[in-house]
Amino acid sequence: MGNLLKVLACAELEHGQIFFLDFENAQPTEAETAVWNQVNAVLEVAHGILAELQSYNGAGQEIREAIQNPCDLKLQEQAWNAVCPLVAKLKRFYEFSLRLENALRSLLEALTSPPYAPMQHLEREQALAKQFAEILHFTLSFDELKMTNPAIQNDFSYYRRTLSRNRLNNLQHDAENEVNNEMANRMSLFYAEATPMLKTLSNATTKFVSENKTLPIEDTTDCLSTMACVCRVMLETPEYRCRFTNTDTMLFCMRVMVGVIILYDHVHPVGAFAKTSKIDMKGCIKVLKEQPSNSVEGLLNALRYTTRHLNDDSTSKQIRAMLQ
């Protein structure tokens, strides 16, 4: 995007109001520094997490051989030794989701706190808005990789079965000290989700709203709908798209747009698909469908299967048809 992008905010949010948002170059002001440093410490780890997940090959062969030869102790040991470091890696991913949840909460507190309106926050605190976008980008990237890698759940299922068998036989391996039964239960719930990171953020956003009863829910939902609008405008307007200096910026904006739509749909009482929604869902879906299908199918699936209100009676038939 290079220079600050001049983005017209959605008319349904603020008629005629203009503000700037720079996802690439925004730097924290003095007022943003404390929260920015806290969140940055988490985001610095995110790239490595994605790289580890992308290279996750699983222990499928070792597990198959162990299952096919249950009396061969050497094959059982080989499978266990192959699975244990992978489960340790899955534990790191899960623990990172908890750090990400705390980071999101800090950003929501900063971007919705009085006396400023959400739109003013996004305009004034560009660096925090950028971090919010980076969290959503990471979240959808992680979930897309997880959804296409069945080895994750296969490995973890084998690990849990082996743990149970060992306990019945009064055996204990060193690995159990790192991932005990209680931790394994929490991890199992996490990886059972089709989109575990997005589910974590959705729950965190809902919890943030419920715990901050003095904060109008509109402050949170308007923050999310404004972000969705900004991303859509940047994606559908040629004069803005031509300023993208990074080839990945298009996908970045699409992921962020989808992420905030899903969060909005989980937090807002009537969701993102109702006629009263402040998000132009037809416009957002249209922008996605104009891109190559291989780059957006995962995002469209996220809208289809991880939103809460798509199948409500208040959702128009046209929007449902667009997502079929």
Side-chain angles (χ1 to χ4, degrees):
M1 281 174 268
N3 299 325
L4 288 176
L5 289 177
K6 183 179 180 181
V7 180
L8 290 174
C10 300
E12 62 268 29
L13 291 173
E14 293 287 342
H15 292 282
Q17 184 165 343
I18 297 172
F19 76 100
F20 300 89
L21 187 56
D22 185 356
F23 282 147
E24 286 186 346
N25 302 310
Q27 296 298 316
T29 62
E30 186 176 350
E32 296 172 89
T33 300
V35 174
W36 188 91
N37 285 338
Q38 176 192 343
V39 176
N40 189 58
V42 177
L43 287 172
E44 283 180 340
V45 182
H47 181 74
I49 294 287
L50 285 180
E52 281 193 87
L53 180 56
Q54 196 156 22
S55 63
Y56 189 102
N57 294 320
Q61 181 176 345
E62 292 88 345
I63 291 172
R64 281 192 298 274
E65 290 178 352
I67 292 174
Q68 290 167 3
N69 301 277
C71 296
D72 191 324
L73 296 181
K74 184 178 179 181
L75 289 177
Q76 306 307 311
E77 185 177 358
Q78 286 177 351
W80 181 254
N81 290 338
V83 164
C84 285
L86 295 173
V87 170
K89 187 178 292 188
L90 295 179
K91 181 190 176 189
R92 290 199 300 275
F93 297 166
Y94 167 71
E95 290 175 332
F96 183 75
S97 76
L98 303 180
R99 296 183 63 192
L100 202 68
E101 180 180 349
N102 290 331
L104 178 73
R105 182 183 183 88
S106 296
L107 288 174
L108 286 174
E109 287 174 351
L111 294 172
T112 59
S113 61
Y116 301 113
M119 183 172 288
Q120 292 173 307
H121 274 297
L122 292 174
E123 184 176 6
R124 292 168 58 91
E125 291 146 19
Q126 299 259 328
L128 298 186
K130 178 175 179 279
Q131 287 184 320
F132 189 89
E134 288 171 341
I135 285 178
L136 290 167
H137 180 263
F138 164 83
T139 296
L140 271 74
S141 300
F142 181 97
D143 286 346
E144 284 178 16
L145 290 171
K146 184 265 178 185
M147 288 178 73
T148 56
N149 194 340
I152 290 173
Q153 284 184 277
N154 292 339
D155 292 347
F156 195 64
S157 294
Y158 177 82
Y159 176 84
R160 297 203 73 192
R161 290 197 306 271
T162 305
L163 272 188
S164 298
R165 188 167 63 246
N166 289 343
R167 278 195 295 273
L168 288 174
N169 296 325
N170 293 319
L171 297 174
Q172 183 172 0
H173 290 280
D174 292 339
E176 189 172 356
N177 295 327
E178 182 171 355
V179 182
N180 58 31
N181 194 49
E182 182 183 350
M183 172 61 77
N185 286 337
R186 295 201 299 268
M187 289 171 60
S188 182
L189 292 173
F190 177 76
Y191 287 110
E193 296 287 345
T195 52
M197 286 290 178
L198 196 54
K199 179 68 172 178
T200 297
L201 294 195
S202 295
N203 289 344
T205 307
T206 303
K207 185 178 178 182
F208 172 80
V209 170
S210 65
E211 290 182 349
N212 290 270
K213 300 188 185 301
T214 60
L215 184 72
I217 188 174
E218 290 79 11
D219 285 12
T220 302
T221 55
D222 283 358
C223 175
L224 300 174
S225 60
T226 302
M227 286 282 284
C229 176
V230 169
C231 291
R232 177 179 59 78
V233 171
M234 289 194 289
L235 288 165
E236 70 185 7
T237 308
E239 67 181 276
Y240 299 147
R241 285 203 313 271
C242 72
R243 300 185 195 182
F244 293 172
T245 60
N246 189 322
T247 55
D248 294 330
T249 302
M250 285 280 289
L251 183 56
F252 180 90
C253 287
M254 287 188 286
R255 283 201 176 112
V256 174
M257 181 179 72
V258 169
V260 290
I261 288 171
I262 294 169
L263 292 184
Y264 182 100
D265 194 58
H266 279 254
V267 174
H268 197 281
V270 298
F273 300 95
K275 290 182 179 179
T276 55
S277 168
K278 291 186 177 181
I279 296 178
D280 177 6
M281 285 305 305
K282 291 178 184 177
C284 291
I285 297 169
K286 182 173 179 290
V287 164
L288 291 174
K289 292 212 158 187
E290 288 173 350
Q291 311 307 317
S293 60
N294 63 328
S295 66
V296 298
E297 190 59 29
L299 298 178
L300 290 169
N301 282 337
L303 291 177
R304 291 175 183 126
Y305 305 122
T306 65
T307 48
R308 181 173 290 173
H309 295 280
L310 174 60
N311 294 317
D312 288 2
D313 292 338
S314 58
T315 302
S316 72
K317 292 181 180 179
Q318 185 177 359
I319 290 178
R320 290 185 194 177
M322 292 177 76
L323 284 174
Q324 286 180 350

